[in-house]
Amino acid sequence: MNTMQAMSIGLADLLRDDPRRVLLGEDVASGGMLGWSLACVDDPELRARVVSTPLIPATMAAHAGGLALAGLRPIVLLPSASALVEGLAGLREIGLVASRTGGDRSAPVLFVAPCGPGFGLGDDASIESTLARLVGVRVFSVGRSSDVLRRLADAAAFGEAEEPTVLLVPRMLLTAPHDDVPGTDATTPVQRARDGRTITVFTWGEALGPVLAACEDAEIDASVIDVVRLAPLDRDTLVELAKDTGRVAIIHAGLRAHGLGAEIAALVAEHAIHYLDAPVVRLCGDDGVHAPADEMRCVPTSDRIAAALTELASP
Amino acid sequence: MEATAWDPEGATWVLDTDGRLSDTSVAAGLDLRSYYKALVAARCLDVRLARANLPMFASAAGEEAPLVATAFVARDEDWIYPGLRDGAIALVRGMSFDEIAHAVVHQPTLGLGSASLRIGTGTAALGMHLAIAAGQAHGQKLAGTKAITFALLGEGTTTTAGFHETLVTAATCDLPLVLVCRSQLWPAGAPAEAGVVGDSVVDRARAYGVWERRVDGADPIAVWAAIAVAAARARDGKGPSLVEVAVTQLMHDPPAHRDPVERLRRHLDANGQWSATFQDVVEAEVRTKLDHALSMARGGA
C-alpha cells in the first residue's frame, strides 16, 4: 500500500466516525486524480457524502465554509496547494468568521492539499508561509508517510475554536510505501522525530526525510523536531527545545526569504538568545525558480544538510 | 400609467404610480399595514444613520422594498446573507436598536450579522458572502430540511468571481438559494463600476440556467410577490433563483412615485388604511429608540 491508498482508507474512516463529515471537490465522485476519495466512493454507506462541485477556484473555500456554518464538517480534497492561493480571499473570510461573530459561529473545514515537488509541480513548496499569515486558520504538515493518518485525524479533529484547517501533504510522499508506525503521540503539535543532545533541528514537510538521513549517515548528535503544526506555532515548546541544546538549525523546503524558518529564527532570537552557543543556521531549497525537471532542487539534499550540521556541531 | 425616464424597462409591477393595485391576488397572504410599517421603519433607520455622519455608512434610501420583502418572506429557520447597506434586514428580523447602533458605530463595514437571528456576517472580499451563502444552502439541502438561504447583492457585485461561481454552483448542485439583486437605475447611463451595460442582471442568471424575475423596486408588492415565488420554488426543491429589483436611489431626487414607501402609502390611503397619525406613531417609535441607542453606542449618557 502506498500513501495515497492509505489516505483513501483514512478518509473513509473519518467519514464513518462522524456523520457530519462530507468530502468535497471537483472530481471526488470519480475518486479524484490522486485516488483519495476512492474508498468513500466504493462504500455505498458513504457515497452520498461525496459531493462534487464545479471548478470554483475563487470561492471553493468560502463555499465549504458555508457548508460548515450549516453544521457539516466538509473535507475539501484539493488537486494542489496552489488552489488555496487562488481561493485565498475566501479562506481568509472563513478564518475570520469566529472573531467577527464573537465566537457565535465557526467554519470547521479541513482542506487536504498536495504540495511541493512531484509531477513537475514543485512551485508551491513553502506555501505554508502564505497560509500561516491568515488569522484563524490552522496549518498542519506531514513529514513522513508513516505519520500521514495521524496528521489527517489530528487536523480533522479541530480545536475548541473549530478553526478552518489546512493539511499540507508533500507530493514526494504520495507514492512512497506506507508503513504505519504505531505508538507515536498523535496529539502533540510538535513531534520529536530523533533524539540528540548537540543540535536542535526544526524541520517539517519535504525536508524531514533528508534531515533524518543526514543525521544517520554523518552520525550527528541532533535532536530532530518535526514542527507539525505550522500555524499557530507552539511557541513555548519550540523555545524550550532550542534551549535544550543551544545550537539551532532550521531546515525546510522552498524559498528561504520570508519563509516560516525566519519566523522560528526570530522566535529563538527573542526568547532563547542567551542560551545559544552559535548563530542560528537556516538551510532551505536552492533559491530561484526551477524548471519542472529540476524541481527537486527546492528540497535541501542530505549532503548539504550533513555539511551544515557538522559545522554547527563543531565547537 | 405613463412611464417616465425614471421607470425601469421590462420590470414587472402591480401597483401603479397612484397606488392602484392591478391584481389583488398578488398581495394575498401579505399584511399590507405591517409591511408598510416595516418599510417606514427601514426608511427612518436609513435617514437617522445618514444624519449621524458615521464613517463608511452608505444610504439605501429608495431601496428598502427588496430588503423588507426578503425579511418578510424568510422564515425563522432560513438564513439571510445581506450586503453591507442592508441594516433593514436586521431591523425587520427583530434585532434590538441597541445591537444595531453598536454594530453600525463600531463595525460599519461588516453588516449586521447575528447567529441567533440567522443573519450572515458580511465579508471584506466583494461577492464572497454569496459563496458562503451558497455553502449554507448546500448544507440545508444535504440535511434534507425545508430551510433555504437568501443572499442580497447590488448590481456592481455581478462582475465578481463570487457572483459567477455562485450561480454556477447553485445551478449545478440545485441549491435552495434565492439571490436578491438590487439594480440601481441610472437615467443618465450607468457608471463603469455598475458592471452592467444596459441594466439587466437577469440575462446573466438566465445564461446559467437559473430561474429569474425582474421587478420594479418602487412597487413593494411586486417585489414581495417575486421573492415569495422564488422562495417557494427553493423550498419545493426546484432550485436556485435570482430576483432582480430595479431601484431608484432617493439621493438622485426622482419623482415621488419612484419612492416605494410613498407608492404603498398611496395605496393604503386610497383604501382608508393610512392616516397622518398612524405615520407619526410609526416614525416616532423608531426615531426615539434609535436616537437613544446611537447615543449609548457612541459613549453618551
Side-chain angles (χ1 to χ4, degrees):
Chain A
M1 187 185 297
N2 66 24
T3 306
M4 286 186 289
Q5 292 162 328
M7 288 180 70
S8 170
I9 292 166
L11 285 161
D13 286 342
L14 285 176
L15 259 64
R16 286 186 199 102
D17 287 348
D18 188 340
R20 295 173 300 175
R21 290 190 176 123
V22 292
L23 284 193
L24 211 63
E26 189 263 328
D27 56 2
V28 286
S30 59
M33 288 171 74
L34 299 174
W36 280 351
S37 55
L38 278 175
C40 290
V41 175
D42 287 345
D43 185 337
E45 299 284 316
L46 302 180
R47 203 175 296 142
R49 286 190 274 144
V50 178
V51 181
S52 290
T53 66
L55 277 173
I56 44 172
T59 59
M60 174 55 102
H63 184 86
L67 276 158
L69 289 167
L72 296 172
R73 294 284 181 273
I75 300 175
V76 182
L77 302 183
L78 295 171
S80 168
S82 60
L84 291 166
V85 177
E86 292 182 77
L88 205 62
L91 182 57
R92 180 175 173 273
E93 298 292 349
I94 66 171
L96 291 170
V97 161
S99 56
R100 281 180 178 161
T101 59
D104 286 343
R105 305 187 82 193
S106 56
V109 181
L110 171 61
F111 300 90
V112 184
C115 67
F119 324 124
L121 297 168
D123 55 350
D124 56 7
S126 67
I127 197 165
E128 63 269 17
S129 303
T130 304
L131 303 174
R133 291 298 308 263
L134 298 177
V135 175
V137 175
R138 301 188 310 165
V139 181
F140 282 72
S141 65
V142 181
R144 285 181 295 195
S145 174
S146 54
D147 290 330
V148 73
L149 294 186
R150 269 179 293 278
R151 300 288 175 265
L152 194 55
D154 271 356
F158 298 106
E160 202 171 302
E162 300 195 317
E163 291 152 323
T165 300
V166 176
L167 177 66
L168 296 172
V169 184
R171 292 188 180 91
M172 283 165 56
L173 301 181
L174 291 176
T175 52
H178 176 81
D179 46 337
D180 195 57
V181 182
T184 23
D185 186 352
T187 51
T188 14
V190 173
Q191 194 184 338
R192 192 190 298 268
R194 184 179 190 274
D195 286 323
R197 288 162 304 171
T198 310
I199 299 176
T200 302
V201 181
F202 293 121
T203 186
W204 59 90
E206 294 86 351
L208 179 60
V211 166
L212 291 171
C215 291
E216 292 305 318
D217 295 348
E219 295 181 345
I220 294 162
D221 183 24
S223 166
V224 176
I225 306 301
D226 183 358
V227 188
V228 174
R229 199 183 67 199
L230 306 178
L233 288 170
D234 183 356
R235 300 167 68 91
D236 293 346
T237 302
L238 296 181
V239 168
E240 289 309 311
L241 289 165
K243 288 177 182 176
D244 281 350
T245 63
R247 292 174 196 269
V248 173
I250 302 163
I251 303 174
H252 65 82
L255 299 175
R256 174 186 171 91
H258 311 288
L260 197 62
E263 174 64 26
I264 297 175
L267 180 69
V268 171
E270 281 174 324
H271 299 288
I273 198 157
H274 296 303
Y275 296 82
L276 296 189
D277 300 324
V280 172
V281 168
R282 266 198 298 158
L283 191 60
C284 306
D286 289 350
D287 267 336
V289 181
H290 310 299
D294 296 331
E295 61 175 348
M296 286 308 295
R297 288 177 58 190
C298 70
V299 182
T301 62
S302 58
D303 287 350
R304 279 180 62 209
I305 294 168
L309 294 182
T310 304
E311 190 183 338
L312 178 59
S314 59
Chain B
M1 75 181 180
E2 188 87 2
T4 69
W6 290 91
D7 294 296
E9 293 173 20
T12 308
W13 54 270
V14 289
L15 208 54
D16 73 12
T17 54
D18 298 322
R20 276 187 300 264
L21 192 56
S22 64
D23 179 357
T24 52
S25 71
V26 173
L30 177 63
D31 177 348
L32 288 177
R33 258 167 76 97
S34 318
Y35 190 42
Y36 179 75
K37 276 171 75 171
L39 285 164
V40 170
R43 174 65 52 80
C44 288
L45 175 69
D46 195 281
V47 169
R48 269 300 194 256
L49 295 180
R51 278 189 203 152
N53 286 321
L54 300 166
M56 305 298 288
F57 174 78
S59 170
E63 307 178 29
E64 292 88 350
L67 304 178
V68 174
T70 300
F72 260 63
V73 170
R75 297 179 184 168
D76 285 349
E77 66 269 27
D78 297 336
W79 274 90
I80 303 178
Y81 282 78
L84 302 182
R85 298 184 299 139
D86 304 347
I89 296 277
L91 185 69
V92 179
R93 283 220 124 181
M95 187 178 284
S96 73
F97 284 96
D98 288 343
E99 277 181 273
I100 291 174
H102 185 271
V104 295
V105 169
H106 296 290
Q107 51 176 53
T109 57
L110 288 177
L112 299 169
S114 163
S116 56
L117 295 174
R118 293 192 171 78
I119 303 171
T121 305
T123 58
L126 284 174
M128 201 58 79
H129 72 295
L130 303 177
I132 294 178
Q136 182 93 43
H138 207 161
Q140 289 164 329
K141 179 184 172 167
L142 291 175
T145 67
K146 284 279 182 190
I148 64 173
T149 297
F150 299 83
L152 289 94
L153 66 150
E155 87 286 329
T157 306
T158 63
T159 58
T160 64
F163 174 74
H164 289 275
E165 291 191 0
T166 294
L167 280 183
V168 172
T169 314
T172 309
C173 302
D174 217 19
L175 304 181
L177 178 70
V178 177
L179 298 175
V180 178
C181 176
R182 306 206 289 286
S183 292
Q184 294 173 355
L185 280 181
W186 301 83
E193 64 267 27
V196 186
V197 178
D199 52 10
S200 176
V201 171
V202 288
D203 287 345
R204 298 181 175 189
R206 198 180 303 130
Y208 287 113
V210 169
W211 185 92
E212 36 65 32
R213 286 292 181 273
R214 177 174 158 86
V215 291
D216 185 350
D219 174 355
I221 296 178
V223 172
W224 173 85
I227 296 173
V229 171
R233 290 184 83 264
R235 249 181 259 289
D236 290 346
K238 292 178 182 165
S241 51
L242 182 144
V243 176
E244 181 184 13
V245 184
V247 293
T248 309
Q249 288 183 294
L250 293 191
M251 68 171 78
H252 298 312
D253 202 19
H257 78 270
R258 293 301 308 155
D259 178 347
V261 181
E262 170 60 14
R263 185 88 67 108
L264 187 55
R265 190 202 67 78
R266 290 178 185 182
H267 175 73
L268 293 177
D269 194 15
N271 290 277
Q273 291 183 285
W274 180 88
S275 71
T277 313
F278 170 63
Q279 184 81 22
D280 289 346
V281 169
V282 174
E283 290 185 8
E285 185 184 343
V286 175
R287 284 177 185 164
T288 310
K289 287 179 179 168
L290 186 60
D291 283 351
H292 179 257
L294 273 174
S295 151
M296 296 292 285
R298 298 172 121 178

